[in-house]
C-alpha cells in the first residue's frame, strides 16, 4: 500500500488522508476527532514535541493501525520541526512518576539527597548530575549497583578501583576479589525474588510456533550445567580453551556456563563463519576442542555447520543434533556425539565445586576484526559480565522476573551480554531456536510474554517488510533495545508503534568494552536513531582534527575519546599490542591519556549523539565489524582480470545501515566488463570465504585509486566520491 503523505501540520490532516492511510471511512471521522482532541490538549503555544507527547499518551495511534497512519501523524506533527536548530525530534518522554520506579530512579531517590546534596530534585531533572557523579566517584557508584545484582564474592575486593600503578592506564578494578561468575548466574537470590523454581529460560523451536513455549527452571538449568561441567572435567585440564560454534540455543547457554563454572575458557565463534575464519579463531585462541551442531535450522532450511567446522579445524568436536536425538552426519575419527559426551558424567556426584578465580581471570575469548586480516582476540575477565549486566540494569531497566529476548549468537558480543544480563539480574532469558527474521519469531515474542526485546536494524526491517507482527499482541513489551548498526528512523517508528510507543534504547559500544559507551536512558526523552548520552560511569570527549576536545555542551562532530577509567574494559589483547591499539597517539585529558574507540560521533543541538562511522577503515556490515583489508583480500581473487579492489561502506542518503561498495581497477583498462557479473563474483567470493551475511550493494570500475605519496590507498576519498555520486543519482 502506498504511504500516506504527511501534511504540513497535524491540523491539516483530512478524513481523506486518514482513509488513504488505511482506515475505513466510517472510522476516519472518529479517529480524526480523537487526534485533534489529543493535539489540542497540548496547544497554547507549546511545540510539536508537546503535541506528539499528548497524542502518543492518549493512545490515538494503536499497534493494529497500518504503518501509513502512524507515518501520517508522526511526520505531520513534526513537519515544521527544525532539526538544525532543535536537534532530533523526541518521540518518547519519561514520566515523573514512573521515573522514580526505574532502577536508576530508585537509586537516585534513595541516595541522591545524600550524594548530591541540595542540588538533588528528582530522577529526571537531576539525572545529569547523578551521571556525572557516577563518572567521578566509581568507588561509590559501583558498590551501590553491585548490591542490585546477583554477584557473590568468595573473597570481597580490597578496593573498587586502584590507580596507583601508572602502567595500568585503565586502573586496577576489584583488586583481591575472588568469585566464579557462572556460579553467580545459577544461585537462588532472595533480593531478586529468584528461587530454584523460577523460570531461567523460556524457548521454542522453529516450526512449532503453535505449541506452548518450553520452560527450564533455575534448578534444572543448574543441574544440566553441572552435568556438562562434570563431563568436561573428564576430558580437559583447568584453564583449557574450548570453543562454541553453534546457534544460541538452550544447549549453547548450558555449555557456556559449564565451561566458565569449571574453570575453563570459552572461545566464541559465530555460526555464520566460513571454514578458514573458524580455523583462524581456533588457532589464535589455541582452543583444544569445539562444541557445534550438525546443521543450523533457519527458515525451514538445514544449513551445514559441522562440515564447515571439519574443514576449518582438526580440533576435537562434540556435535549436537539440530533436531531430534540423532545426528544426521557421519563423524570423523576422534569427534564425539553429544550423547556420548554427556555419558562421561555418568556415576559422578551431582554436587559440583566451582573453580573460584580472581576477578581479572580469563573466562571468554571473543573476536573483533581489526584493520588487518587477523581478528583481534579480546579477553573477557569476570569483570566483563558484571559491567554488561550493570549497564542493562541501568539503561534497559531490566527487573527481576522480566522476560528478555535479544536474538544473537555467542560468537558476537551480544550473546554473552544478554546471557549475563539476564542471569545476574534475575531475568528470564527467552530463546528462539530458529530464524528471527519471520513471523514465527514475532509470535514467540508474544507467546513468551517478552518484556524487554532487543533487536538489530536489519531484523526490524525484515519484520516491517513482511508485516510479521500483524494480529500479534506485543503489549507486554516495556522496553526495546537496538544495537549493531545505524538505525533507520522510519523502521524504528514502526517498531515502537508495534509496542504502543514504548522507548527504544539505542546502544553502541564494543566487545573490548563489555558494554556500550553511549546509550539511551529512561530518564531522558528519546529520539529515533539517536543516543541520549554516555552510559553510567562512562566519560568521553569529542576531539577535533587536532585532537583537542570540544566543550561538553557544544554541538560538534569528531572522533570520540573515552575516559580510560572504564570498568569492564580490556587491559590486554591476546594477539595485539593493547597499548598501541587503544592508547598510542591519543591526547592527555585531565591528567590521563584518553582511550581510543574509533567512532566518529556527532553531538547535536539538544545533547543527543549520532554515530557517523569509523575513524579508520573498519566498517560495520549488518552489525558485524569487519575491515576493508579482509574484503579486498578476497575480492582481489574473484576475477583474473582484476588489478586491485577497494572496499568502502556508504550510508544511504535517507539514513540506515552501512552498505558495502567495491570499487575495482582492471588489469586491462580497455577490456570490456559487466559490473553486474563482477558484483555476482564478489558476492559469491565473500559469502564463501568470509561471511555469508555480507551483501555487496554497489560495484564500480574506475581507472585508478587515489593514493598518498607513500602509496597508501585513500579509502576516505573514495568513500566521499561514491557518497556524492549516489546522492546525485538519488536526486534524478
Amino acid at each position: 500500500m502506498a504511504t500516506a503523505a504527511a501534511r504540513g501540520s497535524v491540523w491539516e490532516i483530512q478524513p481523506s488522508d486518514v482513509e488513504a492511510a488505511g482506515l475505513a471511512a466510517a472510522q476516519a471521522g472518529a479517529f480524526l476527532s480523537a487526534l485533534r482532541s489529543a493535539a489540542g490538549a497540548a496547544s497554547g503555544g507549546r511545540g510539536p514535541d508537546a503535541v506528539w507527547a499528548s497524542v502518543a499518551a492518549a493512545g490515538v495511534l494503536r499497534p493494529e493501525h497500518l504503518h501509513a497512519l502512524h507515518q501520517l501523524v508522526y511526520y505531520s506533527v513534526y513537519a515544521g520541526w527544525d532539526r538544525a536548530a532543535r536537534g532530533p525530534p523526541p518521540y518518547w518522554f519519561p514520566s515523573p512518576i514512573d521515573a522514580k520506579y526505574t532502577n536508576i530512579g530508585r537509586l537516585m531517590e534513595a541516595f541522591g539527597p545524600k550524594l548530591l546534596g541540595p542540588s538533588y530534585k528528582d530522577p529526571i531533572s537531576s539525572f545529569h548530575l547523578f551521571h556525572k557523579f557516577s563518572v567521578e566517584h566509581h568507588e561509590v557508584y559501583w558498590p551501590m549497583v553491585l548490591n542490585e545484582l546477583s554477584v557473590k564474592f568468595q573473597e570481597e575486593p580490597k578496593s573498587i578501583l586502584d590507580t596507583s600503578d601508572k602502567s595500568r592506564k585503565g586502573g586496577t578494578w576489584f583488586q583481591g576479589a575472588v568469585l566464579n561468575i557462572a556460579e553467580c548466574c545459577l544461585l537462588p537470590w532472595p533480593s531478586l525474588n529468584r528461587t530454584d523454581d523460577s523460570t531461567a529460560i523460556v524457548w521454542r523451536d522453529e516450526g512449532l510456533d503453535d505449541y506452548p513455549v518450553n520452560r527450564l527452571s533455575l534448578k534444572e538449568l543448574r543441574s544440566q550445567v553441572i552435568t556438562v561441567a562434570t563431563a568436561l572435567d573428564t576430558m580437559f585440564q583447568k584453564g583449557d580453551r574450548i570453543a562454541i560454534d553453534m546457534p544460541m540455543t538452550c544447549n549453547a547457554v548450558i555449555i557456556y556456563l559449564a565451561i566458565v563454572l569449571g574453570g575453563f575458557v570459552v572461545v566464541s565463534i559465530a555460526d555464520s563463519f566460513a571454514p578458514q575464519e573458524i580455523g583462524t579463531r581456533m588457532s589464535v585462541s589455541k582452543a583444544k576442542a569445539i562444541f557445534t551442531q550438525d546443521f543450523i535450522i533457519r527458515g525451514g532450511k538445514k544449513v551445514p555447520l559441522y562440515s564447515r567446522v571439519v574443514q576449518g579445524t582438526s580440533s576435537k568436536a562434540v556435535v549436537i543434533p539440530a533436531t531430534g536425538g540423532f545426528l544426521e552426519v557421519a563423524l570423523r575419527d576422534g569427534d564425539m556425539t553429544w550423547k556420548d559426551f554427556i555419558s562421561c558424567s555418568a556415576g559422578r556426584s551431582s554436587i559440583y565445586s566451582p573453580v573460584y578465580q580472581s576477578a581479572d581471570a580469563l573466562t571468554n575469548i571473543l573476536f573483533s576484526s581489526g584493520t588487518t586480516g587477523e581478528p583481534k582476540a579480546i579477553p573477557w575477565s569476570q569483570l566483563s559480565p558484571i559491567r554488561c549486566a550493570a549497564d542493562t540494569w541501568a539503561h534497559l531497566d531490566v527487573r527481576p522476573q522480566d522476560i528478555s529476548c535479544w536474538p544473537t549468537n555467542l560468537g558476537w558480543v551480544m550473546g554473552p551480554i544478554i546471557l549475563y544480563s539476564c542471569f545476574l539480574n534475575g531475568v528470564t532469558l527467552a530463546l528462539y531456536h530458529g530464524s528471527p527474521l519471520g513471523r514465527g519469531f514475532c509470535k514467540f515474542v508474544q507467546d513468551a510474554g517478552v518484556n524487554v526485546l532487543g533487536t538489530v536494524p536489519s531484523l526490524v526491517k525484515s519484520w516491517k517488510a513482511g508485516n510479521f507482527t500483524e494480529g500479534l499482541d506485543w503489549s507486554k513489551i516495556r522496553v526495546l533495545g537496538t544495537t549493531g548498526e545505524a538505525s533507520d528512523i522510519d523502521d524504528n517508528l514502526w517498531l515502537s508503534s508495534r509496542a504502543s510507543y514504548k522507548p527504544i534504547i539505542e546502544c553502541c559500544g564494543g566487545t573490548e568494552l563489555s558494554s556500550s559507551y553511549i546509550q539511551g536512558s529512561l530518564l531522558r526523552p528519546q529520539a529515533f536513531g539517536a543516543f541520549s548520552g554516555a552510559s553510567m560511569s562512562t566519560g568521553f570527549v569529542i576531539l577535533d582534527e587536532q585532537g583537542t576536545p570540544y566543550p561538553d555542551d557544544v554541538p560538534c562532530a569528531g572522533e570520540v575519546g573515552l575516559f580510560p577509567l572504564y570498568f569492564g574494559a580490556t587491559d590486554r589483547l591476546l594477539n595485539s599490542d593493547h597499548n598501541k591499539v587503544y592508547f598510542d597517539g591519543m591526547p592527555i585529558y585531565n591528567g590521563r591519556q584518553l582511550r581510543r574507540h574509533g567512532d566518529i560521533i556527532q553531538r547535536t543541538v539538544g545533547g543527543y549523539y549520532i554515530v557517523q562511522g569509523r575513524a579508520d577503515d573498519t566498517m560495520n556490515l549488518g552489525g558485524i565489524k569487519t575491515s576493508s583489508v579482509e574484503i579486498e583480500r578476497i575480492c582481489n581473487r574473484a576475477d583474473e582480470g582484476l588489478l586491485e579492489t577497494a572496499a568502502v561502506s556508504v550510508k544511504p542518503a535517507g539514513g540506515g545501515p552501512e552498505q558495502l561498495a567495491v570499487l575495482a581497477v582492471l588489469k586491462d583498462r580497455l577490456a570490456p566488463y559487466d559490473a553486474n557479473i563482477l558484483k555476482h563474483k564478489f558476492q559469491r567470493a565473500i559469502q564463501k570465504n568470509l561471511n555469508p551475511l555480507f551483501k555487496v550493494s554497489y560495484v564500480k570500475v574506475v581507472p585508478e585509486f587515489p593514493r598518498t605519496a607513500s602509496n597508501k590507498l585513500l579509502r576516505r576519498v573514495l568513500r566521499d566520491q561514491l557518497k556524492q555520486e549516489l546522492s546525485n543519482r538519488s536526486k534524478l
Side-chain angles (χ1 to χ4, degrees), residues 111-126:
F111 300 104
K114 177 182 177 182
L115 300 177
L116 303 178
S119 298
Y120 182 75
K121 305 300 180 188
D122 60 74
I124 295 175
S125 59
S126 301

Side-chain angles (χ1 to χ4, degrees), residues 89-94 124 520-527 530-533 606 608:
Y91 69 93
W92 182 87
F93 306 84
I124 295 175
S521 169
L522 297 188
L523 298 178
R524 287 206 60 192
Q526 298 302 300
F531 305 83
S532 57
Y608 292 97

Side-chain angles (χ1 to χ4, degrees), residues 288-305:
K288 295 289 182 67
I290 184 168
F291 283 87
T292 189
Q293 285 185 180
D294 50 1
F295 293 93
I296 300 170
I297 306 300
R298 283 287 184 271
K301 298 179 180 178
K302 290 183 178 179
V303 180
L305 180 57

Side-chain angles (χ1 to χ4, degrees), residues 9 99 105 130 176 237 256 269 372 397 449 471 489 514 526 656:
S9 80
F130 189 65
Q237 300 296 314
Y256 185 103
I269 300 178
T372 58
D397 198 48
I489 291 174
S514 311
Q526 298 302 300

Side-chain angles (χ1 to χ4, degrees), residues 247-283:
M248 192 164 174
T249 62
C250 288
N251 278 332
V253 170
I254 289 164
I255 293 164
Y256 185 103
L257 290 172
I259 292 172
V260 178
L261 188 74
F264 309 101
V265 178
V266 177
V267 176
S268 294
I269 300 178
D271 63 4
S272 60
F273 276 130
Q276 50 267 58
E277 296 299 321
I278 296 171
T280 297
R281 285 154 178 78
M282 292 292 289
S283 175

Side-chain angles (χ1 to χ4, degrees), residues 25-47:
Q27 300 171 308
F31 174 85
L32 199 53
S33 176
L35 174 63
R36 288 173 175 167
S37 175
S43 61
R46 298 170 70 189

Side-chain angles (χ1 to χ4, degrees), residues 15 40 129 143 338 353 407 432 533 564 611 616 635 660 725:
L129 294 175
W338 174 244
S353 298
Y432 186 70
V611 176
D616 55 18
C635 289
L660 173 60
E725 178 182 327

Side-chain angles (χ1 to χ4, degrees), residues 80 87 98 141 197 212 244 251 264 310 400 553 564-565 731:
D98 293 343
Y141 175 75
D197 293 329
I244 302 175
N251 278 332
F264 309 101
V310 169
D553 56 352
L565 299 178
K731 295 175 183 177

